Amino acid sequence: MATIKDVAKLAGVSVSTASVALRGKGPVSEATRRRVIEAARALDYQPNAIARSLVTRRTRTVGLLLSDLTDPYFHEIAKGVEAVLSRAGYALILADTDRSPEKELRAYEIFRSQQVAGMILAGSGTEDEAHFEQLEKRDVPIVTLGRHRSGLPCVAVDNVQAAKTAAQHLIETGCRRIGLIAGPPGLLAAEERREGYLAALAEHGLSPDPRWMLVGDFTPAGGYRAAMELFTARGLDRHDRPDGLVAGNDQMAIGALKALRELGIRVPEEIAVVGIGGIPTGEYVEPPLTTVALPLKTMGEAAAQMLLCRIERGGGSLPEQHEEHIWLETTLLVRSSTRARSAR
Amino acid sequence: MATIKDVAKLAGVSVSTASVALRGKGPVSEATRRRVIEAARALDYQPNAIARSLVTRRTRTVGLLLSDLTDPYFHEIAKGVEAVLSRAGYALILADTDRSPEKELRAYEIFRSQQVAGMILAGSGTEDEAHFEQLEKRDVPIVTLGRHRSGLPCVAVDNVQAAKTAAQHLIETGCRRIGLIAGPPGLLAAEERREGYLAALAEHGLSPDPRWMLVGDFTPAGGYRAAMELFTARGLDRHDRPDGLVAGNDQMAIGALKALRELGIRVPEEIAVVGIGGIPTGEYVEPPLTTVALPLKTMGEAAAQMLLCRIERGGGSLPEQHEEHIWLETTLLVRSSTRARSAR
DNA sequence: ATGAAAGCGCTAACAT
DNA sequence: ATGTTAGCGCTTTCAT
């Protein structure tokens, strides 16, 4: 690999002149600038970001921490993050915690040692965000996605409202006995969505039967198991059964749909199902899934953008100028897993 | 951030002694070693990988280049890569090319300037792999996933065989008029799968009707459009229609399944459908998708492992010791989108 | 066993 | 406008 020294030598200038010329900042005669650029091209010179970072004390890398690379929730988010970052010339260091504290710690250490300019924390993570908040204090800006309780800057959606919208849609289309497959306890999004579900029911004077409330793990398999249990293991007779079901996320809704098909329970006629998330797959299952769509790509872009702002503003651990929380809107996507409005 | 200097001072030793003690290599008295470690912990010291890399001239980062972060094909692959890399203490720099040459070039430059220790190239990329092969020559090991024509070390599956297996399965379960939704022309995997499809038919003395051969873009929407065209725009009467369909990947198969449902064409009774890929979603569509599953996670792990080998062997641009190509097996996963064997 | 000194590739004062 | 010098945080000879 050619170094700036090689470039300088070939161009017949000093290293510092080469440095200045290459970056276009500072005073250089047009002639030498040209010579240096030319030399750089001839040598296929690529600046060594490592060396540069060491002296400038800032890198152009950001760490993205997420809890499961195979969870569709993260795919568009990651895509959005990557797009914004790479356009800005930043490198994205990705770490998957697999929801394991050890892996999270390892990721944290890698990020630190790599001197990331900032980090994006997506998904649950450990309850214990202590290390991260500490980092924030040391001038490593952090933006979280969905962890709005953490005291860290955050891009999020109103999960309570999202679940409320889901349940309301069910109510408006005629459901009265509405069940829930909640996400894993302890996960903020799951708790909030449960809350929204309860609130919507309460607002309409509907009381949720505890037998209709299940817990899944945000995976399709979890949704499948929950729905199976709901309809086979809970001793519900024909009129005790729910006629509507809110799933804590699309993944579980999709699993539930499969269980219902296997049980010969018609959707939406016998039970309407609504998910939360808006992942692309929802369109391709049977019936196509009605869902409260989260602006996933936008969430990723916004988080990256916000982080970039904070990084480039510099030393921004106490910024008042910009909002610390961005709330994005969700949208109800009505497909066929719920009844048409007119069927009310 | 504490530096090694701070640690040395606190421990009352020289920087070089601290360095040696911290890494456990070289001669240090047990007593000072302990003192240094203690000081490091007290200061929450984390070695600066940037500085270290500058002097050792090697980083512990590897670049992963893929063509679309939202394509399920990559999810388990990326997960496998990440797992192996992070376990080995490497940072993963991710870049999404979006199948755009400019973005690919940008990624290439970022990887280079970050001095990645190696790279994994997954997915199509530009035809022009020139830059990358050049890098390889400069001692930046590269492993490709599925680009086995490139002359670069590679982890791959036999796509010809995979498609052959798919078509054979259809034939064995009684299909005789077998169509194909091929992937994008120019994409190696797509071409090879087409080839396998043709070979299987030929071996059984079946001649493919050109009207049954469509092209999609590896997305569900593409598969949907292709299936719609096959059954509505090609003027096929009842007995001209295919009774079996090979899709170039699971994504397109899933899209096709949706189209068939909308058209009221029963699967597998009227037409059996088989995909290639084995993505998790296949299990949750209706009917569950029969597919030739690729060992995606293993592919990612193997590629990362192979890269690590080459990195740590050092200067390995001409290695004979290890295989340059790893071929992984595919497995037919029979679900309900094809007829049961007994129905032959 | 420990420390002093040099230097990785680059940028940033500071001369000239 | 250009060059000289110093130094980022660390590892690595080489003395001691």
Side-chain angles (χ1 to χ4, degrees):
Chain A
M1 286 284 190
T3 72
I4 200 173
K5 224 163 146 181
D6 303 319
V7 174
K9 190 185 294 176
L10 181 58
V13 298
S14 74
V15 169
S16 51
T17 301
S19 171
V20 168
L22 249 11
R23 283 171 303 144
K25 317 233 171 232
V28 242
S29 76
E30 188 50 30
T32 58
R33 207 186 66 87
R34 227 184 278 283
R35 280 214 321 287
V36 172
I37 303 275
E38 185 43 51
R41 195 197 350 267
L43 296 170
D44 191 22
Y45 170 73
Q46 180 75 224
N48 183 330
I50 297 290
R52 179 178 289 175
S53 292
L54 189 58
V55 34
T56 60
R57 300 152 146 296
R58 20 180 273 106
T59 62
R60 284 183 153 272
T61 59
V62 336
L64 171 61
L65 188 80
L66 40 76
S67 40
D68 179 11
L69 217 25
T70 63
D71 182 339
Y73 171 73
F74 294 113
H75 299 151
E76 299 191 42
I77 288 181
K79 181 118 185 163
V81 168
E82 199 277 344
V84 169
L85 254 30
S86 83
R87 198 175 324 124
Y90 278 71
L92 171 62
I93 299 186
L94 183 78
D96 180 337
T97 66
D98 243 339
R99 305 184 201 279
S100 123
E102 303 91 71
K103 287 208 66 182
E104 177 166 322
L105 184 59
R106 200 154 67 202
Y108 168 74
E109 283 168 352
I110 288 183
F111 287 173
R112 268 231 296 173
S113 74
Q114 294 291 335
Q115 316 288 121
V116 294
M119 338 193 348
I120 296 175
L121 270 30
S124 58
T126 320
E127 284 314 309
D128 177 27
E129 267 157 348
H131 0 286
F132 293 108
E133 302 196 17
Q134 234 177 324
L135 254 198
E136 166 88 6
K137 291 205 188 69
R138 297 187 201 180
D139 286 332
V140 181
I142 294 180
V143 172
T144 66
L145 264 159
R147 305 184 182 189
H148 58 85
R149 291 277 168 80
S150 64
L152 294 167
C154 181
V155 172
V157 295
D158 184 340
N159 281 302
V160 177
Q161 184 54 52
K164 241 166 124 168
T165 301
Q168 271 164 2
H169 169 66
L170 253 20
I171 295 169
E172 284 169 10
T173 55
C175 301
R176 287 296 171 269
R177 303 186 305 281
I178 299 174
L180 172 74
I181 303 181
L187 241 176
L188 184 58
E191 308 283 15
E192 292 180 329
R193 290 174 192 175
R194 174 203 300 274
E195 192 184 313
Y197 154 86
L198 291 171
L201 265 57
E203 279 180 18
H204 289 263
L206 265 28
S207 61
D209 188 318
R211 292 172 304 168
W212 302 338
M213 298 180 59
L214 299 277
V215 172
D217 60 0
F218 269 176
T219 69
Y224 177 89
R225 280 193 300 270
M228 275 294 176
E229 169 166 353
L230 176 58
F231 283 98
T232 63
R234 297 220 160 171
L236 267 27
D237 76 35
R238 204 146 191 78
H239 300 286
D240 275 354
R241 287 180 170 185
D243 59 2
L245 187 59
V246 174
N249 70 357
D250 284 356
Q251 298 278 89
M252 294 197 297
I254 286 166
L257 249 23
K258 178 181 167 81
L260 295 169
R261 274 196 308 273
E262 290 183 9
L263 294 169
I265 298 171
R266 287 168 306 142
V267 177
E269 293 79 3
E270 296 178 70
I271 184 167
V273 176
V274 55
I276 298 174
I279 64 174
T281 303
E283 202 175 334
Y284 292 92
V285 295
E286 172 59 24
L289 181 67
T290 292
T291 187
V292 179
L294 276 33
L296 297 169
K297 182 116 178 266
T298 307
M299 289 167 67
E301 291 167 342
Q305 207 66 72
M306 188 167 166
L307 186 64
L308 254 26
C309 274
R310 307 194 61 210
I311 288 172
E312 292 179 353
R313 178 167 357 109
S317 75
L318 35 142
E320 234 68 42
Q321 306 96 310
H322 269 277
E323 310 191 46
E324 286 300 277
H325 280 71
I326 293 180
W327 294 94
L328 264 21
E329 294 301 311
T330 60
T331 50
L332 177 66
L333 234 58
V334 179
R335 292 197 281 238
S336 315
S337 68
T338 55
R339 299 182 186 86
R341 182 66 169 273
S342 57
R344 190 210 278 231
Chain B
M1 286 282 193
T3 72
I4 199 173
K5 222 163 148 183
D6 303 318
V7 174
K9 189 184 296 176
L10 180 56
V13 298
S14 74
V15 170
S16 48
T17 301
S19 171
V20 168
L22 249 11
R23 282 170 304 144
K25 318 232 172 232
V28 242
S29 75
E30 188 50 30
T32 59
R33 207 185 67 87
R34 224 184 282 283
R35 278 214 322 286
V36 171
I37 303 276
E38 185 44 50
R41 192 194 354 265
L43 296 171
D44 191 24
Y45 169 73
Q46 181 75 224
N48 182 330
I50 297 289
R52 180 178 286 174
S53 292
L54 189 58
V55 33
T56 60
R57 302 156 142 296
R58 20 180 271 105
T59 62
R60 283 182 154 273
T61 59
V62 336
L64 171 61
L65 189 80
L66 41 76
S67 40
D68 179 11
L69 216 26
T70 63
D71 181 340
Y73 172 73
F74 294 112
H75 299 150
E76 300 192 41
I77 288 181
K79 181 116 186 166
V81 168
E82 199 277 343
V84 170
L85 254 29
S86 83
R87 199 175 323 125
Y90 279 71
L92 171 62
I93 299 185
L94 183 78
D96 181 337
T97 67
D98 244 339
R99 305 184 201 279
S100 124
E102 303 92 71
K103 287 208 63 179
E104 177 165 324
L105 184 60
R106 200 154 66 200
Y108 168 75
E109 283 169 353
I110 288 183
F111 286 174
R112 269 233 295 173
S113 74
Q114 294 291 335
Q115 315 289 119
V116 294
M119 338 192 348
I120 296 175
L121 270 31
S124 58
T126 319
E127 284 315 308
D128 177 27
E129 267 157 348
H131 1 284
F132 294 107
E133 303 196 17
Q134 231 177 326
L135 254 199
E136 166 88 8
K137 290 204 190 69
R138 297 188 200 179
D139 286 332
V140 181
I142 295 180
V143 171
T144 65
L145 264 160
R147 306 185 182 188
H148 58 84
R149 292 277 167 79
S150 63
L152 293 167
C154 181
V155 171
V157 295
D158 184 340
N159 282 302
V160 177
Q161 184 53 52
K164 241 166 124 168
T165 302
Q168 272 164 0
H169 169 66
L170 254 20
I171 295 169
E172 285 169 9
T173 56
C175 301
R176 286 296 169 270
R177 303 186 305 280
I178 299 175
L180 172 75
I181 304 181
L187 240 176
L188 183 58
E191 307 283 15
E192 291 180 330
R193 290 173 191 175
R194 175 203 299 274
E195 192 183 316
Y197 155 86
L198 291 171
L201 264 58
E203 280 181 17
H204 289 263
L206 265 28
S207 63
D209 188 317
R211 291 173 303 168
W212 302 339
M213 297 178 61
L214 299 278
V215 172
D217 60 0
F218 269 176
T219 68
Y224 177 89
R225 280 192 300 269
M228 276 293 176
E229 168 165 355
L230 176 58
F231 283 97
T232 63
R234 298 219 161 171
L236 267 28
D237 75 36
R238 204 146 190 80
H239 301 287
D240 276 354
R241 287 181 170 186
D243 59 2
L245 186 60
V246 174
N249 70 359
D250 284 355
Q251 297 278 89
M252 294 198 297
I254 286 167
L257 250 23
K258 178 182 166 81
L260 295 170
R261 274 196 308 272
E262 290 183 9
L263 294 170
I265 297 171
R266 286 167 307 141
V267 177
E269 293 79 3
E270 295 178 71
I271 184 167
V273 176
V274 55
I276 299 174
I279 64 175
T281 303
E283 203 175 333
Y284 292 92
V285 294
E286 173 60 24
L289 182 67
T290 292
T291 186
V292 179
L294 276 33
L296 298 171
K297 181 116 179 263
T298 308
M299 288 166 68
E301 291 167 342
Q305 206 67 71
M306 188 167 168
L307 186 63
L308 252 27
C309 274
R310 306 194 62 210
I311 288 173
E312 291 179 353
R313 179 166 358 105
S317 76
L318 34 143
E320 235 67 42
Q321 307 96 307
H322 270 276
E323 309 191 47
E324 286 302 275
H325 280 72
I326 293 181
W327 294 94
L328 263 20
E329 294 301 311
T330 60
T331 51
L332 177 67
L333 234 58
V334 180
R335 292 197 282 238
S336 315
S337 69
T338 56
R339 299 180 186 87
R341 183 67 170 273
S342 59
R344 190 211 279 235

Short mmCIF file of all heavy atoms in Angstrom, two decimals, chain B residues 175 177 231 238 241-245 256-273 286-287 336-339:
data_model
loop_
_atom_site.label_atom_id
_atom_site.label_comp_id
_atom_site.label_asym_id
_atom_site.label_seq_id
_atom_site.Cartn_x
_atom_site.Cartn_y
_atom_site.Cartn_z
N CYS B 175 -45.21 -34.44 -11.55
CA CYS B 175 -45.36 -33.32 -12.48
C CYS B 175 -44.68 -33.65 -13.81
O CYS B 175 -43.66 -34.33 -13.85
CB CYS B 175 -44.72 -32.06 -11.89
SG CYS B 175 -45.43 -31.55 -10.32
N ARG B 177 -45.24 -31.15 -16.64
CA ARG B 177 -45.12 -29.87 -17.36
C ARG B 177 -44.60 -28.84 -16.37
O ARG B 177 -45.36 -28.22 -15.63
CB ARG B 177 -46.48 -29.46 -17.90
CG ARG B 177 -47.10 -30.54 -18.82
CD ARG B 177 -48.38 -30.09 -19.49
NE ARG B 177 -49.37 -29.62 -18.54
CZ ARG B 177 -50.17 -30.41 -17.82
NH1 ARG B 177 -50.10 -31.73 -17.95
NH2 ARG B 177 -51.04 -29.88 -16.97
N PHE B 231 -50.04 -17.17 -15.86
CA PHE B 231 -51.40 -17.70 -15.89
C PHE B 231 -52.45 -16.79 -16.49
O PHE B 231 -53.59 -17.17 -16.64
CB PHE B 231 -51.82 -18.13 -14.49
CG PHE B 231 -51.21 -19.43 -14.11
CD1 PHE B 231 -50.06 -19.48 -13.34
CD2 PHE B 231 -51.76 -20.63 -14.57
CE1 PHE B 231 -49.48 -20.69 -13.00
CE2 PHE B 231 -51.18 -21.84 -14.23
CZ PHE B 231 -50.03 -21.88 -13.45
N ARG B 238 -56.26 -24.67 -20.54
CA ARG B 238 -56.24 -25.61 -19.43
C ARG B 238 -55.12 -26.66 -19.52
O ARG B 238 -54.45 -26.95 -18.53
CB ARG B 238 -57.60 -26.31 -19.39
CG ARG B 238 -57.89 -26.82 -18.04
CD ARG B 238 -59.32 -26.78 -17.62
NE ARG B 238 -59.32 -27.10 -16.21
CZ ARG B 238 -59.01 -26.22 -15.26
NH1 ARG B 238 -58.77 -24.98 -15.59
NH2 ARG B 238 -58.97 -26.58 -14.00
N ARG B 241 -51.16 -25.56 -19.43
CA ARG B 241 -50.58 -25.01 -18.21
C ARG B 241 -49.59 -25.95 -17.57
O ARG B 241 -49.76 -27.16 -17.59
CB ARG B 241 -51.69 -24.78 -17.20
CG ARG B 241 -52.57 -23.62 -17.53
CD ARG B 241 -53.61 -23.50 -16.43
NE ARG B 241 -54.35 -22.28 -16.54
CZ ARG B 241 -55.24 -21.89 -15.64
NH1 ARG B 241 -55.50 -22.65 -14.58
NH2 ARG B 241 -55.89 -20.76 -15.79
N PRO B 242 -48.56 -25.37 -16.94
CA PRO B 242 -47.62 -26.21 -16.20
C PRO B 242 -48.32 -26.81 -14.98
O PRO B 242 -49.29 -26.25 -14.46
CB PRO B 242 -46.53 -25.25 -15.78
CG PRO B 242 -47.10 -23.89 -15.89
CD PRO B 242 -48.17 -23.95 -16.93
N ASP B 243 -47.83 -27.96 -14.56
CA ASP B 243 -48.36 -28.57 -13.35
C ASP B 243 -47.31 -28.57 -12.24
O ASP B 243 -47.52 -29.14 -11.17
CB ASP B 243 -48.88 -29.98 -13.62
CG ASP B 243 -47.79 -30.90 -14.16
OD1 ASP B 243 -46.63 -30.45 -14.28
OD2 ASP B 243 -48.10 -32.06 -14.47
N GLY B 244 -46.18 -27.95 -12.57
CA GLY B 244 -45.12 -27.82 -11.57
C GLY B 244 -44.33 -26.57 -11.87
O GLY B 244 -44.27 -26.11 -13.01
N LEU B 245 -43.78 -25.99 -10.82
CA LEU B 245 -43.07 -24.73 -11.01
C LEU B 245 -41.84 -24.70 -10.11
O LEU B 245 -41.93 -24.90 -8.89
CB LEU B 245 -44.01 -23.57 -10.64
CG LEU B 245 -43.55 -22.14 -10.89
CD1 LEU B 245 -43.23 -21.90 -12.36
CD2 LEU B 245 -44.61 -21.16 -10.40
N ALA B 256 -45.09 -16.09 -5.95
CA ALA B 256 -45.88 -16.87 -6.89
C ALA B 256 -47.06 -17.53 -6.17
O ALA B 256 -48.18 -17.56 -6.68
CB ALA B 256 -45.01 -17.94 -7.55
N LEU B 257 -46.80 -18.01 -4.98
CA LEU B 257 -47.86 -18.66 -4.20
C LEU B 257 -49.02 -17.69 -3.97
O LEU B 257 -50.20 -18.06 -4.05
CB LEU B 257 -47.28 -19.10 -2.85
CG LEU B 257 -47.09 -20.59 -2.53
CD1 LEU B 257 -46.97 -21.47 -3.74
CD2 LEU B 257 -45.91 -20.79 -1.58
N LYS B 258 -48.66 -16.47 -3.70
CA LYS B 258 -49.71 -15.47 -3.48
C LYS B 258 -50.53 -15.25 -4.76
O LYS B 258 -51.76 -15.20 -4.72
CB LYS B 258 -49.07 -14.14 -3.04
CG LYS B 258 -50.07 -12.99 -2.81
CD LYS B 258 -49.32 -11.72 -2.43
CE LYS B 258 -50.18 -10.47 -2.51
NZ LYS B 258 -51.03 -10.31 -1.32
N ALA B 259 -49.83 -15.16 -5.87
CA ALA B 259 -50.54 -14.97 -7.14
C ALA B 259 -51.48 -16.14 -7.41
O ALA B 259 -52.64 -15.97 -7.81
CB ALA B 259 -49.53 -14.83 -8.28
N LEU B 260 -50.98 -17.33 -7.16
CA LEU B 260 -51.78 -18.53 -7.42
C LEU B 260 -53.02 -18.55 -6.53
O LEU B 260 -54.12 -18.90 -6.98
CB LEU B 260 -50.94 -19.79 -7.21
CG LEU B 260 -49.79 -19.92 -8.23
CD1 LEU B 260 -48.82 -21.04 -7.83
CD2 LEU B 260 -50.34 -20.17 -9.63
N ARG B 261 -52.86 -18.16 -5.30
CA ARG B 261 -54.03 -18.09 -4.41
C ARG B 261 -55.05 -17.12 -4.96
O ARG B 261 -56.24 -17.40 -5.01
CB ARG B 261 -53.60 -17.61 -3.01
CG ARG B 261 -53.11 -18.69 -2.08
CD ARG B 261 -53.10 -18.20 -0.63
NE ARG B 261 -52.39 -16.93 -0.45
CZ ARG B 261 -51.08 -16.83 -0.22
NH1 ARG B 261 -50.33 -17.91 -0.17
NH2 ARG B 261 -50.53 -15.65 -0.06
N GLU B 262 -54.56 -15.97 -5.39
CA GLU B 262 -55.48 -14.97 -5.90
C GLU B 262 -56.20 -15.44 -7.16
O GLU B 262 -57.33 -15.05 -7.42
CB GLU B 262 -54.73 -13.66 -6.18
CG GLU B 262 -54.28 -12.98 -4.90
CD GLU B 262 -53.60 -11.64 -5.14
OE1 GLU B 262 -53.62 -11.15 -6.29
OE2 GLU B 262 -53.05 -11.10 -4.18
N LEU B 263 -55.51 -16.27 -7.91
CA LEU B 263 -56.12 -16.77 -9.14
C LEU B 263 -56.99 -18.00 -8.88
O LEU B 263 -57.60 -18.54 -9.80
CB LEU B 263 -55.02 -17.12 -10.15
CG LEU B 263 -54.20 -15.93 -10.66
CD1 LEU B 263 -52.99 -16.42 -11.45
CD2 LEU B 263 -55.07 -15.01 -11.52
N GLY B 264 -56.99 -18.45 -7.64
CA GLY B 264 -57.78 -19.64 -7.32
C GLY B 264 -57.20 -20.92 -7.88
O GLY B 264 -57.91 -21.91 -8.07
N ILE B 265 -55.91 -20.89 -8.12
CA ILE B 265 -55.27 -22.11 -8.61
C ILE B 265 -54.72 -22.87 -7.41
O ILE B 265 -53.94 -22.31 -6.64
CB ILE B 265 -54.14 -21.75 -9.59
CG1 ILE B 265 -54.73 -21.03 -10.80
CG2 ILE B 265 -53.36 -23.00 -10.01
CD1 ILE B 265 -53.70 -20.44 -11.73
N ARG B 266 -55.14 -24.11 -7.27
CA ARG B 266 -54.77 -24.83 -6.06
C ARG B 266 -53.35 -25.38 -6.12
O ARG B 266 -52.93 -25.94 -7.13
CB ARG B 266 -55.76 -25.97 -5.80
CG ARG B 266 -57.12 -25.47 -5.28
CD ARG B 266 -58.15 -26.56 -5.33
NE ARG B 266 -58.21 -27.13 -6.68
CZ ARG B 266 -58.37 -28.42 -6.94
NH1 ARG B 266 -58.50 -29.29 -5.95
NH2 ARG B 266 -58.41 -28.86 -8.17
N VAL B 267 -52.66 -25.19 -5.01
CA VAL B 267 -51.29 -25.71 -4.87
C VAL B 267 -51.31 -26.75 -3.76
O VAL B 267 -51.83 -26.45 -2.67
CB VAL B 267 -50.32 -24.56 -4.49
CG1 VAL B 267 -48.91 -25.11 -4.28
CG2 VAL B 267 -50.33 -23.46 -5.55
N PRO B 268 -50.84 -27.94 -3.94
CA PRO B 268 -50.10 -28.42 -5.11
C PRO B 268 -50.97 -29.14 -6.14
O PRO B 268 -50.43 -29.61 -7.14
CB PRO B 268 -49.14 -29.43 -4.47
CG PRO B 268 -49.95 -30.03 -3.35
CD PRO B 268 -50.81 -28.93 -2.84
N GLU B 269 -52.30 -29.22 -5.90
CA GLU B 269 -53.13 -30.04 -6.77
C GLU B 269 -53.02 -29.65 -8.24
O GLU B 269 -52.80 -30.51 -9.10
CB GLU B 269 -54.58 -29.99 -6.34
CG GLU B 269 -54.86 -30.64 -4.99
CD GLU B 269 -54.48 -29.74 -3.81
OE1 GLU B 269 -54.05 -28.59 -4.06
OE2 GLU B 269 -54.59 -30.20 -2.65
N GLU B 270 -53.19 -28.36 -8.52
CA GLU B 270 -53.13 -27.96 -9.92
C GLU B 270 -51.71 -27.65 -10.36
O GLU B 270 -51.32 -27.88 -11.50
CB GLU B 270 -54.04 -26.76 -10.16
CG GLU B 270 -55.50 -27.09 -9.93
CD GLU B 270 -56.37 -25.87 -10.12
OE1 GLU B 270 -56.54 -25.44 -11.28
OE2 GLU B 270 -56.90 -25.34 -9.12
N ILE B 271 -50.97 -27.09 -9.44
CA ILE B 271 -49.56 -26.83 -9.74
C ILE B 271 -48.75 -26.93 -8.45
O ILE B 271 -49.16 -26.40 -7.42
CB ILE B 271 -49.37 -25.45 -10.42
CG1 ILE B 271 -47.90 -25.25 -10.81
CG2 ILE B 271 -49.84 -24.32 -9.52
CD1 ILE B 271 -47.66 -24.07 -11.75
N ALA B 272 -47.68 -27.64 -8.54
CA ALA B 272 -46.80 -27.78 -7.38
C ALA B 272 -45.69 -26.75 -7.50
O ALA B 272 -45.28 -26.40 -8.61
CB ALA B 272 -46.21 -29.19 -7.33
N VAL B 273 -45.25 -26.24 -6.36
CA VAL B 273 -44.25 -25.17 -6.39
C VAL B 273 -43.08 -25.53 -5.48
O VAL B 273 -43.29 -25.97 -4.35
CB VAL B 273 -44.86 -23.84 -5.92
CG1 VAL B 273 -43.80 -22.74 -5.86
CG2 VAL B 273 -46.01 -23.42 -6.83
N GLU B 286 -48.72 -20.12 2.76
CA GLU B 286 -49.75 -21.13 2.51
C GLU B 286 -49.77 -21.51 1.05
O GLU B 286 -49.98 -20.63 0.21
CB GLU B 286 -51.12 -20.58 2.94
CG GLU B 286 -52.31 -21.44 2.59
CD GLU B 286 -52.26 -22.84 3.19
OE1 GLU B 286 -51.58 -23.03 4.23
OE2 GLU B 286 -52.88 -23.72 2.60
N PRO B 287 -49.58 -22.74 0.69
CA PRO B 287 -49.15 -23.80 1.60
C PRO B 287 -47.68 -23.65 1.94
O PRO B 287 -46.95 -23.02 1.17
CB PRO B 287 -49.38 -25.07 0.77
CG PRO B 287 -49.20 -24.62 -0.64
CD PRO B 287 -49.74 -23.23 -0.70
N SER B 336 -45.68 -28.62 1.97
CA SER B 336 -46.96 -28.93 1.31
C SER B 336 -47.18 -28.29 -0.05
O SER B 336 -48.24 -28.46 -0.64
CB SER B 336 -48.11 -28.54 2.22
OG SER B 336 -47.86 -28.98 3.53
N SER B 337 -46.24 -27.52 -0.53
CA SER B 337 -46.49 -26.89 -1.82
C SER B 337 -46.19 -27.83 -2.98
O SER B 337 -46.36 -27.47 -4.14
CB SER B 337 -45.65 -25.61 -1.94
OG SER B 337 -44.28 -25.93 -2.05
N THR B 338 -45.72 -29.02 -2.63
CA THR B 338 -45.57 -30.05 -3.66
C THR B 338 -46.35 -31.28 -3.19
O THR B 338 -46.66 -31.41 -2.01
CB THR B 338 -44.10 -30.43 -3.87
OG1 THR B 338 -43.54 -30.83 -2.62
CG2 THR B 338 -43.31 -29.26 -4.43
N ARG B 339 -46.67 -32.15 -4.11
CA ARG B 339 -47.44 -33.32 -3.75
C ARG B 339 -46.60 -34.27 -2.93
O ARG B 339 -45.38 -34.32 -3.06
CB ARG B 339 -47.90 -34.06 -5.00
CG ARG B 339 -48.81 -33.26 -5.91
CD ARG B 339 -49.20 -34.11 -7.11
NE ARG B 339 -49.95 -33.32 -8.07
CZ ARG B 339 -49.39 -32.58 -9.03
NH1 ARG B 339 -48.08 -32.54 -9.15
NH2 ARG B 339 -50.16 -31.89 -9.85
#
